[in-house]
Amino acid sequence: GAALEERLASAAEAAGRTLRTLSPAMLATIRVEAGLPSFGPDLDASTLLPETGLEAWAVSYTKGCYLGQETVARVKTYGSPQRKLMGLLLPPEADPADLAGQTLAVDGKPVGELRSAVSSPALGRPIGLPYLDKAHRVPGQALDLSVAGRPLPPEAVALPFVAPPRQARKRAKACVETG
């Protein structure tokens, strides 16, 4: 709370730095640009770790036992999950506030659901995190999205949207390559 923030501000000041706070909206933007799902909008208890793209750096296949290990190992051994988190470039006129929960389709058939959407200052356009089915999670895949009868054609892209700092690039690349 406030006491922790005061302690952090004092420590930053003692180090000759300034502590800046970020709004929840800015934190969500940074998270989506980095391609990181959040529990609630993007993940729930039914989400399998391999669907998120996080298993490449969040799980060890050689360390002891953990809850869900059999399921994660089975997906790794026998193939990719039925759906996977991808990036989505949205047209500039799209309003991110209207997009979460919208169904994505190809030729009228549902192929995914948009979970989080934000306006990206780094890319100058709205972006989102959808789960797409196996056949349609290809970068460059054209998708159909309609909000209030207005078509807003998005395009699937690999994550992350914005290159992470140098030390995290290997982890992000491994996440995309295990896709």
Side-chain angles (χ1 to χ4, degrees):
L4 175 60
E5 190 172 331
E6 286 177 30
R7 288 177 50 206
L8 289 171
S10 295
E13 186 177 328
R17 305 282 184 172
T18 302
L19 181 67
R20 295 184 184 156
T21 57
L22 298 175
S23 69
M26 183 51 71
L27 289 172
T29 299
I30 293 167
R31 177 184 63 77
V32 172
E33 286 179 340
L36 297 173
S38 177
F39 199 82
D42 308 309
L43 306 169
D44 59 31
S46 69
T47 307
L48 298 174
L49 184 63
E51 294 174 336
T52 66
L54 300 175
E55 78 283 357
W57 59 273
V59 170
S60 170
Y61 289 99
T62 59
K63 287 185 180 177
C65 296
Y66 56 88
L67 190 60
Q69 182 179 22
E70 276 187 40
T71 303
V72 171
R74 194 173 321 130
V75 171
K76 182 179 185 211
T77 301
Y78 296 112
S80 61
Q82 291 301 311
R83 64 182 192 148
K84 187 138 183 165
L85 193 69
M86 292 287 293
L88 199 66
L89 291 176
L90 296 149
E93 65 273 14
D95 181 358
D98 298 335
L99 299 175
Q102 294 292 327
T103 299
L104 298 161
V106 171
D107 297 328
K109 178 186 171 200
V111 298
E113 180 185 4
L114 183 55
R115 294 296 187 93
S116 289
V118 298
S119 184
S120 169
L123 300 175
R125 65 188 299 172
I127 59 173
L129 296 176
Y131 282 97
L132 296 177
D133 71 17
K134 194 182 268 192
H136 299 94
R137 60 179 183 231
V138 178
Q141 172 72 55
L143 300 161
D144 300 323
L145 171 65
S146 181
V147 176
R150 194 174 94 202
L152 297 168
E155 177 187 339
V157 297
L159 294 172
F161 291 99
V162 177
R166 185 178 301 255
Q167 65 271 23
R169 285 191 184 137
K170 279 186 178 178
R171 287 187 297 190
K173 183 178 179 189
C175 288
V176 171
E177 289 175 351
T178 61

